[in-house]
């Protein structure tokens, strides 16, 4: 009796899903490039990770139609797409759910596109650990960015006198 996930649960093989997923992948790559140019490394890493997860099944199976379901990519992309808004309680909740979704996508992509095999209990445990690590990376990076931008704005005020 196999305890691994069925491939059909995660990887969709339809043209419509693939087209939307590839659009998301292009958006993720664009966000990663723009974030790199703006020296926003946390957003760059998250966007690059999301792009990698979006295209990894297509690369592994050598078929452009074998992609991650686009609704999962949409949920995972929310903090990257709405990062310009100030964080609110709802925004923090959306970011948390999105980070958890991205972590789940990473774990399932690892399971289905590599030789790694996990039991369901370990997969849940590993998803929780990856979620905590990703959320920690996101929070520390945002705090670091706020500190740098505060120092930068205080220098501008000092230099303007």
């Amino acid at each position: 009796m196999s305890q691994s996930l069925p491939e059909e649960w995660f990887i969709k093989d339809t043209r419509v899903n693939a087209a939307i997923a590839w659009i998301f992948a292009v958006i993720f790559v664009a966000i990663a490039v723009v974030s790199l140019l703006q020296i926003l490394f946390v957003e760059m890493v998250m966007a690059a990770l999301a792009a990698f997860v979006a295209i990894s099944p297509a690369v592994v199976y050598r078929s452009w139609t074998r992609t991650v379901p686009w609704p999962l990519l949409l949920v995972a992309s929310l903090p990257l797409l709405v990062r310009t808004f100030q964080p609110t309680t709802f925004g923090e909740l959306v970011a948390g759910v999105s980070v958890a979704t991205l972590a789940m996508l990473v774990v399932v992509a690892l399971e289905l596109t590599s030789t790694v095999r996990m039991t369901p209990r370990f997969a849940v445990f590993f998803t929780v650990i990856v979620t905590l690590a990703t959320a920690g990376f996101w929070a520390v990076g945002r705090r670091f960015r706020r500190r740098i931008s505060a120092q930068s704005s205080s220098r501008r005020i000092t230099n303007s006198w």
Side-chain angles (χ1 to χ4, degrees), residues 15-64:
R15 289 180 181 264
V16 173
N17 182 70
I20 297 170
W22 280 100
I23 290 169
F24 273 111
V26 169
I27 290 170
F28 291 148
V29 169
I31 290 172
V33 169
V34 168
S35 297
L36 178 65
L37 295 175
Q38 293 178 349
I39 310 173
L40 300 172
F41 293 118
V42 174
E43 285 82 0
M44 185 217 36
V45 169
M46 296 293 280
L49 182 64
F52 175 75
V53 168
I55 66 169
S56 63
V59 171
V60 168
Y61 294 110
R62 293 187 173 100
S63 172
W64 73 273

Side-chain angles (χ1 to χ4, degrees), residues 82-88 91:
V82 297
R83 69 184 162 103
T84 57
F85 300 114
Q86 295 297 325
T88 62

Side-chain angles (χ1 to χ4, degrees), residues 12 18 24 48 52-53 58 75 78 109 113 117 119 125 127 135 139 144:
K12 300 294 182 193
F24 273 111
F52 175 75
V53 168
V75 173
L78 288 177
T113 60
R117 295 295 169 249
T119 64
F125 171 76
T127 301
F144 182 71

